[in-house]
PDB file of all heavy atoms in Angstrom:
ATOM      1  N   ASN A  42     114.439 112.852  61.027  1.00  0.00           N
ATOM      2  CA  ASN A  42     114.148 112.659  62.503  1.00  0.00           C
ATOM      3  C   ASN A  42     114.153 113.947  63.317  1.00  0.00           C
ATOM      4  O   ASN A  42     114.520 115.065  62.644  1.00  0.00           O
ATOM      5  CB  ASN A  42     115.262 111.644  63.146  1.00  0.00           C
ATOM      6  CG  ASN A  42     116.541 112.095  63.229  1.00  0.00           C
ATOM      7  OD1 ASN A  42     116.873 113.388  63.312  1.00  0.00           O
ATOM      8  ND2 ASN A  42     117.485 111.238  63.132  1.00  0.00           N
ATOM      9  N   ASP A  71     114.552 110.062  66.919  1.00  0.00           N
ATOM     10  CA  ASP A  71     115.946 109.836  66.573  1.00  0.00           C
ATOM     11  C   ASP A  71     116.370 108.506  67.268  1.00  0.00           C
ATOM     12  O   ASP A  71     116.219 108.395  68.330  1.00  0.00           O
ATOM     13  CB  ASP A  71     116.818 111.016  67.007  1.00  0.00           C
ATOM     14  CG  ASP A  71     118.264 110.768  66.613  1.00  0.00           C
ATOM     15  OD1 ASP A  71     118.500 109.887  65.709  1.00  0.00           O
ATOM     16  OD2 ASP A  71     119.204 111.506  66.986  1.00  0.00           O
ATOM     17  N   GLU A  73     118.109 104.080  66.401  1.00  0.00           N
ATOM     18  CA  GLU A  73     118.106 102.874  65.741  1.00  0.00           C
ATOM     19  C   GLU A  73     116.750 102.092  66.247  1.00  0.00           C
ATOM     20  O   GLU A  73     116.056 101.324  65.540  1.00  0.00           O
ATOM     21  CB  GLU A  73     119.376 102.023  66.066  1.00  0.00           C
ATOM     22  CG  GLU A  73     119.420 100.643  65.524  1.00  0.00           C
ATOM     23  CD  GLU A  73     119.774 100.687  63.990  1.00  0.00           C
ATOM     24  OE1 GLU A  73     120.532 101.451  63.542  1.00  0.00           O
ATOM     25  OE2 GLU A  73     119.226  99.704  63.343  1.00  0.00           O
ATOM     26  N   LYS A  76     113.817 102.302  64.217  1.00  0.00           N
ATOM     27  CA  LYS A  76     113.848 101.768  62.776  1.00  0.00           C
ATOM     28  C   LYS A  76     112.915 100.480  62.727  1.00  0.00           C
ATOM     29  O   LYS A  76     113.403  99.392  62.545  1.00  0.00           O
ATOM     30  CB  LYS A  76     115.196 101.417  62.307  1.00  0.00           C
ATOM     31  CG  LYS A  76     115.514 101.201  60.797  1.00  0.00           C
ATOM     32  CD  LYS A  76     116.960 100.984  60.595  1.00  0.00           C
ATOM     33  CE  LYS A  76     117.304 100.122  59.499  1.00  0.00           C
ATOM     34  NZ  LYS A  76     118.674  99.775  59.396  1.00  0.00           N
ATOM     35  N   GLY A 104     120.742 110.097  58.615  1.00  0.00           N
ATOM     36  CA  GLY A 104     121.803 109.116  58.545  1.00  0.00           C
ATOM     37  C   GLY A 104     121.188 107.819  57.958  1.00  0.00           C
ATOM     38  O   GLY A 104     120.094 107.794  57.368  1.00  0.00           O
ATOM     39  N   GLY A 105     121.804 106.701  58.245  1.00  0.00           N
ATOM     40  CA  GLY A 105     121.591 105.378  57.808  1.00  0.00           C
ATOM     41  C   GLY A 105     120.055 104.996  58.159  1.00  0.00           C
ATOM     42  O   GLY A 105     119.367 104.245  57.439  1.00  0.00           O
ATOM     43  N   VAL A 106     119.815 105.261  59.434  1.00  0.00           N
ATOM     44  CA  VAL A 106     118.395 104.835  60.000  1.00  0.00           C
ATOM     45  C   VAL A 106     117.332 105.470  59.218  1.00  0.00           C
ATOM     46  O   VAL A 106     116.518 104.716  58.618  1.00  0.00           O
ATOM     47  CB  VAL A 106     118.393 105.286  61.513  1.00  0.00           C
ATOM     48  CG1 VAL A 106     116.936 105.071  61.930  1.00  0.00           C
ATOM     49  CG2 VAL A 106     119.295 104.367  62.348  1.00  0.00           C
ATOM     50  N   ASP A 109     117.410 104.073  55.416  1.00  0.00           N
ATOM     51  CA  ASP A 109     116.892 102.681  55.177  1.00  0.00           C
ATOM     52  C   ASP A 109     115.467 102.614  55.368  1.00  0.00           C
ATOM     53  O   ASP A 109     114.672 102.019  54.669  1.00  0.00           O
ATOM     54  CB  ASP A 109     117.704 101.862  56.250  1.00  0.00           C
ATOM     55  CG  ASP A 109     118.997 101.319  55.940  1.00  0.00           C
ATOM     56  OD1 ASP A 109     119.530 101.844  55.039  1.00  0.00           O
ATOM     57  OD2 ASP A 109     119.452 100.373  56.569  1.00  0.00           O
ATOM     58  N   THR A 129     123.119 112.492  55.706  1.00  0.00           N
ATOM     59  CA  THR A 129     123.800 113.520  56.551  1.00  0.00           C
ATOM     60  C   THR A 129     124.799 112.852  57.598  1.00  0.00           C
ATOM     61  O   THR A 129     125.296 113.729  58.409  1.00  0.00           O
ATOM     62  CB  THR A 129     122.750 114.297  57.327  1.00  0.00           C
ATOM     63  OG1 THR A 129     122.063 113.382  58.127  1.00  0.00           O
ATOM     64  CG2 THR A 129     121.695 115.028  56.368  1.00  0.00           C
ATOM     65  N   THR A 130     125.027 111.719  57.712  1.00  0.00           N
ATOM     66  CA  THR A 130     126.294 111.112  58.412  1.00  0.00           C
ATOM     67  C   THR A 130     127.211 110.737  57.365  1.00  0.00           C
ATOM     68  O   THR A 130     126.990 110.426  56.296  1.00  0.00           O
ATOM     69  CB  THR A 130     125.816 109.985  59.252  1.00  0.00           C
ATOM     70  OG1 THR A 130     125.423 108.830  58.467  1.00  0.00           O
ATOM     71  CG2 THR A 130     124.714 110.339  60.304  1.00  0.00           C
ATOM     72  N   SER A 137     125.498 103.690  53.103  1.00  0.00           N
ATOM     73  CA  SER A 137     124.140 103.317  53.200  1.00  0.00           C
ATOM     74  C   SER A 137     123.267 103.810  52.120  1.00  0.00           C
ATOM     75  O   SER A 137     122.185 103.310  51.809  1.00  0.00           O
ATOM     76  CB  SER A 137     123.577 103.333  54.689  1.00  0.00           C
ATOM     77  OG  SER A 137     123.494 104.646  55.000  1.00  0.00           O
ATOM     78  N   LYS A 142     119.862  99.208  49.336  1.00  0.00           N
ATOM     79  CA  LYS A 142     119.341  98.261  50.440  1.00  0.00           C
ATOM     80  C   LYS A 142     118.485  98.951  51.394  1.00  0.00           C
ATOM     81  O   LYS A 142     119.040 100.049  51.983  1.00  0.00           O
ATOM     82  CB  LYS A 142     120.626  97.752  51.265  1.00  0.00           C
ATOM     83  CG  LYS A 142     121.304  96.591  50.622  1.00  0.00           C
ATOM     84  CD  LYS A 142     122.356  95.995  51.387  1.00  0.00           C
ATOM     85  CE  LYS A 142     123.096  94.709  50.707  1.00  0.00           C
ATOM     86  NZ  LYS A 142     124.142  94.176  51.653  1.00  0.00           N
ATOM     87  N   ASN A 152     117.479  94.708  60.342  1.00  0.00           N
ATOM     88  CA  ASN A 152     117.363  94.674  58.785  1.00  0.00           C
ATOM     89  C   ASN A 152     116.686  93.456  58.315  1.00  0.00           C
ATOM     90  O   ASN A 152     116.890  93.004  57.008  1.00  0.00           O
ATOM     91  CB  ASN A 152     118.712  94.903  58.119  1.00  0.00           C
ATOM     92  CG  ASN A 152     119.319  96.317  58.464  1.00  0.00           C
ATOM     93  OD1 ASN A 152     118.604  97.297  58.700  1.00  0.00           O
ATOM     94  ND2 ASN A 152     120.551  96.289  58.512  1.00  0.00           N
ATOM     95  N   VAL A 169     127.549 119.261  55.875  1.00  0.00           N
ATOM     96  CA  VAL A 169     126.631 118.973  56.917  1.00  0.00           C
ATOM     97  C   VAL A 169     127.248 118.094  58.019  1.00  0.00           C
ATOM     98  O   VAL A 169     126.769 118.089  59.223  1.00  0.00           O
ATOM     99  CB  VAL A 169     125.320 118.306  56.447  1.00  0.00           C
ATOM    100  CG1 VAL A 169     124.573 119.099  55.490  1.00  0.00           C
ATOM    101  CG2 VAL A 169     125.461 116.893  55.878  1.00  0.00           C
ATOM    102  N   THR A 172     128.117 119.468  61.800  1.00  0.00           N
ATOM    103  CA  THR A 172     127.323 119.448  63.007  1.00  0.00           C
ATOM    104  C   THR A 172     127.260 117.912  63.688  1.00  0.00           C
ATOM    105  O   THR A 172     126.594 117.786  64.601  1.00  0.00           O
ATOM    106  CB  THR A 172     125.926 119.819  62.658  1.00  0.00           C
ATOM    107  OG1 THR A 172     125.323 119.061  61.596  1.00  0.00           O
ATOM    108  CG2 THR A 172     125.752 121.279  62.377  1.00  0.00           C
TER     109      THR A 172
HETATM  110  P1  LIG B   1     122.128 107.163  62.316  1.00  0.00           P
HETATM  111  O1  LIG B   1     121.234 107.363  61.252  1.00  0.00           O
HETATM  112  O2  LIG B   1     121.496 106.682  63.644  1.00  0.00           O
HETATM  113  O3  LIG B   1     122.816 108.666  62.720  1.00  0.00           O
HETATM  114  C1  LIG B   1     123.646 108.828  63.859  1.00  0.00           C
HETATM  115  C2  LIG B   1     123.297 109.946  64.706  1.00  0.00           C
HETATM  116  O4  LIG B   1     123.669 111.115  63.891  1.00  0.00           O
HETATM  117  C3  LIG B   1     121.716 110.052  64.913  1.00  0.00           C
HETATM  118  O5  LIG B   1     121.568 110.614  66.155  1.00  0.00           O
HETATM  119  C4  LIG B   1     121.386 111.272  63.929  1.00  0.00           C
HETATM  120  O6  LIG B   1     120.267 111.805  64.269  1.00  0.00           O
HETATM  121  C5  LIG B   1     122.624 112.077  63.939  1.00  0.00           C
HETATM  122  N1  LIG B   1     122.878 112.924  62.758  1.00  0.00           N
HETATM  123  C6  LIG B   1     122.733 112.618  61.422  1.00  0.00           C
HETATM  124  N2  LIG B   1     123.190 113.506  60.735  1.00  0.00           N
HETATM  125  C7  LIG B   1     123.536 114.527  61.372  1.00  0.00           C
HETATM  126  C8  LIG B   1     124.150 115.756  61.196  1.00  0.00           C
HETATM  127  N3  LIG B   1     124.437 116.221  59.959  1.00  0.00           N
HETATM  128  N4  LIG B   1     124.400 116.549  62.291  1.00  0.00           N
HETATM  129  C9  LIG B   1     124.128 116.244  63.432  1.00  0.00           C
HETATM  130  N5  LIG B   1     123.599 114.931  63.796  1.00  0.00           N
HETATM  131  C10 LIG B   1     123.286 114.198  62.752  1.00  0.00           C
HETATM  132  O7  LIG B   1     123.421 106.260  62.242  1.00  0.00           O
HETATM  133  P2  LIG B   1     124.179 105.941  60.834  1.00  0.00           P
HETATM  134  O8  LIG B   1     125.475 105.400  61.337  1.00  0.00           O
HETATM  135  O9  LIG B   1     124.166 107.078  59.885  1.00  0.00           O
HETATM  136  O10 LIG B   1     123.396 104.679  60.172  1.00  0.00           O
HETATM  137  C11 LIG B   1     123.262 103.469  60.879  1.00  0.00           C
HETATM  138  C12 LIG B   1     122.175 102.750  60.089  1.00  0.00           C
HETATM  139  O11 LIG B   1     122.547 102.461  58.759  1.00  0.00           O
HETATM  140  C13 LIG B   1     121.863 101.347  60.708  1.00  0.00           C
HETATM  141  O12 LIG B   1     120.526 101.110  60.955  1.00  0.00           O
HETATM  142  C14 LIG B   1     122.462 100.375  59.734  1.00  0.00           C
HETATM  143  O13 LIG B   1     121.688  99.135  59.618  1.00  0.00           O
HETATM  144  C15 LIG B   1     122.299 101.151  58.391  1.00  0.00           C
HETATM  145  N6  LIG B   1     123.169 100.769  57.294  1.00  0.00           N
HETATM  146  C16 LIG B   1     122.561 100.470  56.083  1.00  0.00           C
HETATM  147  C17 LIG B   1     123.310 100.230  55.002  1.00  0.00           C
HETATM  148  C18 LIG B   1     122.751  99.950  53.700  1.00  0.00           C
HETATM  149  O14 LIG B   1     123.576  99.546  52.718  1.00  0.00           O
HETATM  150  N7  LIG B   1     121.576 100.231  53.457  1.00  0.00           N
HETATM  151  C19 LIG B   1     124.808 100.154  55.075  1.00  0.00           C
HETATM  152  C20 LIG B   1     125.306 100.453  56.316  1.00  0.00           C
HETATM  153  C21 LIG B   1     124.476 100.682  57.491  1.00  0.00           C
END
Side-chain angles (χ1 to χ4, degrees):
N42 70 27
D71 184 14
E73 180 78 37
K76 189 178 150 182
V106 167
D109 279 16
T129 61
T130 62
S137 62
K142 281 188 179 176
N152 298 328
V169 300
T172 52

